[in-house]
Amino acid sequence: MAQDKSETEGFSAEGWTCPLPLRDYPAIVMAHGGGGKLSADLVRHLFLPLFANPALDALDDQAVIEIDGARLAISTDSFTVSPLFFPGGDIGSLAVHGTVNDVAMAGARPLYITAGFILEEGLAMDALGRIATSMAESCRRAGVQMITGDTKVVDRGHGDGVYINTTGIGIVPDGVHIAANRAKPGDVVIVSGEIGLHGITILAAREGLGFEADLESDTAPLNGLVAAMLEVTREIHCLRDPTRGGLASTLNELAASSGVGIEIDEAAVPVPPAVAAACEMLGLDPFYVANEGKLVAILPEEHAEAVLERMRSHPLGRKAAIIGRVVEEHPRVVVAKTGIGGRRVVDMLVGEQLPRIC
Amino acid sequence: MRYIQEYRDADAVRRVLDEIHRITTRPWVLMEICGGQTHSIIRYGIDQLLPDQIELVHGPGCPVCVTPLELIDMAIAIASRPDVIFTSFGDMLRVPGSKKDLLQVKAEGGDVRVVYSPLDCLKIAKENTDREIVFFGVGFETTAPANAMAIYQAHRQGIGNFSMLVSHVRVPPAIEALLSSPQNRVQAFLTAGHVCTVMGYWEYEPLAERFGVPMVVTGFEPLDIVRGILMAVRQLEDGRAEVENAYPRVVTREGNTQAQALIKQVFTDCDRKWRGIGPIPNSGWCLRPEYAEYDAALKFDVGDLEVTESPLCKAGLVLQGRLKPDECPAFGKECTPRHPLGAPMVSSEGACAAYYQFGRYSK
């Protein structure tokens, strides 16, 4: 059926064969959206070859294009989260912050945002009202304007209440060239604060695990923090917000894009006690847990202390820390020095992070 | 995180490691039984900090790895039924069956859910009286008490739409099988701390004596593991073969007798096939006849399943410590974490997956 339809629409599916890494999965599994290896495969082996162009091929979290001398950063993201409301935020604030942050990770100043809503029949009007209000509040906080939008409704049972897609546009200041492929040996790796809060909060709220009281999502717009960092120096090489897939996936992406190794000191990575305890109980690794208000920065060592100091004076960077450095050895591989002096490879996740039996 | 962080203290671990280096005079082969210990060893890089003479062989104590293919296929068949809500611990979902895994069943429309306790299933059963709730009851002695409790409670509360696909295995028969093999290389065992928490360690005493092999009850934090290794090496160097407890803050000789009583009430000994190793007599637990109505294998007729293990997979030899993962011809070629042929390549507890990562680093 699908093939007939695409042919009548003038797109020839003829000649398309499922590329090798995708053949193991005849159907989409959850991990294709999990931000790990399967997500990367989908992009690399299906979408990239079909749409290849320089802005897309850079494979950053946002595209940077030049129009009449102005460099624009554009990013789009879809948000599905259950529950819709959680400690520290809701799907509305998440949808604004997520896209604002992706634009900001190019060093850009986010200016405008759009929203597409897919609503499920039966969604309480009150809930939608709260979500929209929260989005407006988040836009104000981030200093962006919502300039256009769209609404669709699907049958009851065909959506988790509401899905939101947002697209953001921002301007990249002169002299700022931040990209995933710019990490150089000798650079320092900084994380802006405690990791794992968003993912564990959502998991706890969803599963009723009983330690919700200690936890709140870290969802926040990071453009202010990025602007503050760029005031110190424009020589920041990489910025990325470690959302799904967590810190480990982000570091792996940066190592792969830049063709360098990254070495981190596990003890230096700030993990809040509640996240550490929850991960301990569930058999999860905080390095792979999602964040929504943190960034990873890679920059030359000579600017590291000054940038760190500036970050720590910003409300969203108070617990910023240097967690490691970029090395020439083991290109494309992230290695962690463990608390007891051993070393381990911090790989990308193959599938979703699943709780272990024992 | 108190009472955990203390057991990850770098100085304390270093002191024990120094002592191991000091007393080791010749090569020894030790096996850690439990996948949780393998995970810790790789997670903290403990194996790299030991003297070169000490070889750690990763044991079969990973329920994900040894659950037989027939049962995975049966789970997949049951989970595919539209009237079933299939529940499982998380990491069983990715174990390859003959044709697919449980995650693919979910992708194809099956109702497959991760639970954190089998008792959660009873709640799901009460909320979905028109559906059958099936729990994948895998694991060693560690998970048996909670699984037994779920059956016991279902029976007491008269919950008829709950059943369990039981695949319980026990550690002592596996150790006996390993030691009885003419190809055995293992000279001392770190037995599994969580298993002994439930069962105590008296069961291991006749084994240590009969085979002349030291056995040390060992925990899971870095300090626990190096202490277990130190005690095992000391016994080997002294020429002793005893059962010692390096995990006394949790484990007693008798174990948790209440849990044992509950297990006995619900389960009975039976033969079990271990994936990659083969059948081991009396090595598992099945539901007692009086609880047969909760046995998913009897409740659902899945017909004849055609079970095919990949001929390339040498997981059995790896699980017995007879082959290093990277010596397997399929390692890193046909078999990778993203496309595992055998279960040890699936989870971070699996020896093959751990080696795959470290191999990538050394290249």
Tab-separated table of all heavy atoms in Angstrom, chain B residues 137-162:
chain	number	residue	atom	x	y	z
B	137	GLY	N	9.267	-14.935	34.519
B	137	GLY	CA	9.913	-15.169	35.811
B	137	GLY	C	11.291	-15.791	35.672
B	137	GLY	O	11.498	-16.960	35.967
B	138	VAL	N	12.243	-14.976	35.226
B	138	VAL	CA	13.601	-15.491	35.056
B	138	VAL	C	14.449	-15.112	36.255
B	138	VAL	O	14.055	-14.301	37.073
B	138	VAL	CB	14.274	-14.922	33.793
B	138	VAL	CG1	13.529	-15.346	32.556
B	138	VAL	CG2	14.388	-13.423	33.892
B	139	GLY	N	15.608	-15.678	36.337
B	139	GLY	CA	16.566	-15.264	37.349
B	139	GLY	C	17.060	-16.415	38.189
B	139	GLY	O	16.601	-17.555	38.068
B	140	PHE	N	18.025	-16.069	39.046
B	140	PHE	CA	18.599	-17.046	39.965
B	140	PHE	C	17.816	-17.012	41.285
B	140	PHE	O	16.697	-16.500	41.339
B	140	PHE	CB	20.079	-16.718	40.176
B	140	PHE	CG	20.924	-17.170	39.016
B	140	PHE	CD1	21.021	-16.416	37.863
B	140	PHE	CD2	21.599	-18.387	39.075
B	140	PHE	CE1	21.779	-16.843	36.795
B	140	PHE	CE2	22.353	-18.809	38.011
B	140	PHE	CZ	22.455	-18.040	36.864
B	141	GLU	N	18.443	-17.493	42.332
B	141	GLU	CA	17.791	-17.519	43.640
B	141	GLU	C	17.399	-16.108	44.088
B	141	GLU	O	16.485	-15.934	44.887
B	141	GLU	CB	18.742	-18.136	44.678
B	141	GLU	CG	19.048	-19.614	44.465
B	141	GLU	CD	20.325	-19.847	43.657
B	141	GLU	OE1	20.605	-19.043	42.731
B	141	GLU	OE2	21.039	-20.825	43.931
B	142	THR	N	18.110	-15.091	43.554
B	142	THR	CA	17.896	-13.711	43.966
B	142	THR	C	16.468	-13.242	43.704
B	142	THR	O	15.859	-12.592	44.547
B	142	THR	CB	18.839	-12.787	43.168
B	142	THR	OG1	20.029	-13.503	42.898
B	142	THR	CG2	19.134	-11.547	43.933
B	143	THR	N	15.948	-13.514	42.523
B	143	THR	CA	14.629	-13.002	42.164
B	143	THR	C	13.517	-13.964	42.578
B	143	THR	O	12.339	-13.626	42.471
B	143	THR	CB	14.538	-12.748	40.640
B	143	THR	OG1	14.961	-13.932	39.953
B	143	THR	CG2	15.405	-11.591	40.217
B	144	ALA	N	13.898	-15.150	43.052
B	144	ALA	CA	12.893	-16.172	43.363
B	144	ALA	C	11.921	-15.768	44.478
B	144	ALA	O	10.723	-16.023	44.352
B	144	ALA	CB	13.583	-17.500	43.698
B	145	PRO	N	12.400	-15.136	45.586
B	145	PRO	CA	11.435	-14.812	46.640
B	145	PRO	C	10.318	-13.880	46.164
B	145	PRO	O	9.150	-14.114	46.466
B	145	PRO	CB	12.299	-14.125	47.706
B	145	PRO	CG	13.674	-14.633	47.481
B	145	PRO	CD	13.786	-14.816	45.998
B	146	ALA	N	10.669	-12.844	45.405
B	146	ALA	CA	9.642	-11.910	44.932
B	146	ALA	C	8.699	-12.608	43.951
B	146	ALA	O	7.487	-12.383	43.964
B	146	ALA	CB	10.288	-10.696	44.279
B	147	ASN	N	9.261	-13.467	43.097
B	147	ASN	CA	8.412	-14.193	42.157
B	147	ASN	C	7.479	-15.146	42.904
B	147	ASN	O	6.296	-15.274	42.577
B	147	ASN	CB	9.269	-14.956	41.148
B	147	ASN	CG	9.971	-14.017	40.176
B	147	ASN	OD1	9.714	-12.811	40.183
B	147	ASN	ND2	10.859	-14.540	39.354
B	148	ALA	N	8.023	-15.827	43.916
B	148	ALA	CA	7.199	-16.733	44.718
B	148	ALA	C	6.093	-15.948	45.421
B	148	ALA	O	4.940	-16.386	45.483
B	148	ALA	CB	8.070	-17.463	45.743
B	149	MET	N	6.451	-14.754	45.907
B	149	MET	CA	5.463	-13.924	46.595
B	149	MET	C	4.323	-13.526	45.655
B	149	MET	O	3.155	-13.508	46.059
B	149	MET	CB	6.148	-12.677	47.176
B	149	MET	CG	5.253	-11.759	47.972
B	149	MET	SD	4.450	-12.575	49.365
B	149	MET	CE	5.573	-12.189	50.704
B	150	ALA	N	4.662	-13.218	44.397
B	150	ALA	CA	3.622	-12.834	43.434
B	150	ALA	C	2.648	-13.992	43.221
B	150	ALA	O	1.423	-13.798	43.178
B	150	ALA	CB	4.258	-12.409	42.112
B	151	ILE	N	3.172	-15.206	43.073
B	151	ILE	CA	2.312	-16.381	42.885
B	151	ILE	C	1.452	-16.608	44.144
B	151	ILE	O	0.243	-16.828	44.067
B	151	ILE	CB	3.177	-17.638	42.619
B	151	ILE	CG1	3.992	-17.464	41.333
B	151	ILE	CG2	2.313	-18.892	42.576
B	151	ILE	CD1	3.229	-17.645	40.056
B	152	TYR	N	2.115	-16.524	45.287
B	152	TYR	CA	1.440	-16.755	46.563
B	152	TYR	C	0.293	-15.749	46.751
B	152	TYR	O	-0.830	-16.117	47.107
B	152	TYR	CB	2.478	-16.633	47.684
B	152	TYR	CG	1.930	-16.708	49.082
B	152	TYR	CD1	1.591	-17.939	49.656
B	152	TYR	CD2	1.759	-15.550	49.843
B	152	TYR	CE1	1.091	-17.993	50.944
B	152	TYR	CE2	1.261	-15.605	51.129
B	152	TYR	CZ	0.926	-16.823	51.682
B	152	TYR	OH	0.434	-16.882	52.955
B	153	GLN	N	0.579	-14.485	46.452
B	153	GLN	CA	-0.445	-13.449	46.610
B	153	GLN	C	-1.569	-13.607	45.593
B	153	GLN	O	-2.737	-13.404	45.915
B	153	GLN	CB	0.185	-12.050	46.477
B	153	GLN	CG	1.050	-11.619	47.650
B	153	GLN	CD	0.244	-11.357	48.915
B	153	GLN	OE1	-0.982	-11.330	48.903
B	153	GLN	NE2	0.946	-11.203	50.039
B	154	ALA	N	-1.228	-13.961	44.366
B	154	ALA	CA	-2.255	-14.167	43.332
B	154	ALA	C	-3.205	-15.266	43.787
B	154	ALA	O	-4.433	-15.171	43.654
B	154	ALA	CB	-1.595	-14.525	42.000
B	155	HIS	N	-2.644	-16.326	44.349
B	155	HIS	CA	-3.428	-17.461	44.825
B	155	HIS	C	-4.328	-17.015	45.976
B	155	HIS	O	-5.523	-17.322	46.004
B	155	HIS	CB	-2.458	-18.561	45.280
B	155	HIS	CG	-3.130	-19.844	45.622
B	155	HIS	ND1	-3.831	-20.588	44.698
B	155	HIS	CD2	-3.219	-20.516	46.793
B	155	HIS	CE1	-4.326	-21.666	45.290
B	155	HIS	NE2	-3.973	-21.649	46.566
B	156	ARG	N	-3.740	-16.269	46.917
B	156	ARG	CA	-4.495	-15.849	48.095
B	156	ARG	C	-5.629	-14.906	47.726
B	156	ARG	O	-6.714	-14.970	48.280
B	156	ARG	CB	-3.555	-15.134	49.070
B	156	ARG	CG	-3.414	-15.853	50.392
B	156	ARG	CD	-2.691	-14.987	51.399
B	156	ARG	NE	-3.449	-13.766	51.705
B	156	ARG	CZ	-2.996	-12.802	52.491
B	156	ARG	NH1	-1.806	-12.893	53.028
B	156	ARG	NH2	-3.721	-11.737	52.735
B	157	GLN	N	-5.332	-14.025	46.751
B	157	GLN	CA	-6.342	-13.030	46.390
B	157	GLN	C	-7.271	-13.522	45.286
B	157	GLN	O	-8.119	-12.783	44.811
B	157	GLN	CB	-5.655	-11.734	45.944
B	157	GLN	CG	-4.802	-11.085	47.030
B	157	GLN	CD	-4.008	-9.892	46.495
B	157	GLN	OE1	-4.466	-9.167	45.619
B	157	GLN	NE2	-2.805	-9.696	47.018
B	158	GLY	N	-7.077	-14.765	44.854
B	158	GLY	CA	-7.943	-15.335	43.825
B	158	GLY	C	-7.845	-14.619	42.489
B	158	GLY	O	-8.837	-14.412	41.801
B	159	ILE	N	-6.619	-14.178	42.120
B	159	ILE	CA	-6.431	-13.501	40.829
B	159	ILE	C	-6.185	-14.570	39.758
B	159	ILE	O	-5.153	-15.233	39.754
B	159	ILE	CB	-5.246	-12.512	40.897
B	159	ILE	CG1	-5.556	-11.428	41.935
B	159	ILE	CG2	-4.977	-11.892	39.537
B	159	ILE	CD1	-4.397	-10.508	42.234
B	160	GLY	N	-7.154	-14.737	38.880
B	160	GLY	CA	-7.093	-15.847	37.919
B	160	GLY	C	-6.446	-15.484	36.595
B	160	GLY	O	-6.068	-16.367	35.816
B	161	ASN	N	-6.297	-14.159	36.305
B	161	ASN	CA	-5.773	-13.772	34.991
B	161	ASN	C	-4.284	-13.432	35.042
B	161	ASN	O	-3.785	-12.647	34.260
B	161	ASN	CB	-6.565	-12.587	34.427
B	161	ASN	CG	-6.489	-11.352	35.314
B	161	ASN	OD1	-6.344	-11.464	36.530
B	161	ASN	ND2	-6.569	-10.177	34.716
B	162	PHE	N	-3.571	-14.024	36.001
B	162	PHE	CA	-2.122	-13.819	36.113
B	162	PHE	C	-1.421	-15.169	36.036
B	162	PHE	O	-1.899	-16.153	36.608
B	162	PHE	CB	-1.798	-13.143	37.450
B	162	PHE	CG	-0.325	-13.129	37.779
B	162	PHE	CD1	0.555	-12.325	37.065
B	162	PHE	CD2	0.194	-13.948	38.783
B	162	PHE	CE1	1.911	-12.327	37.359
B	162	PHE	CE2	1.553	-13.949	39.081
B	162	PHE	CZ	2.411	-13.132	38.360
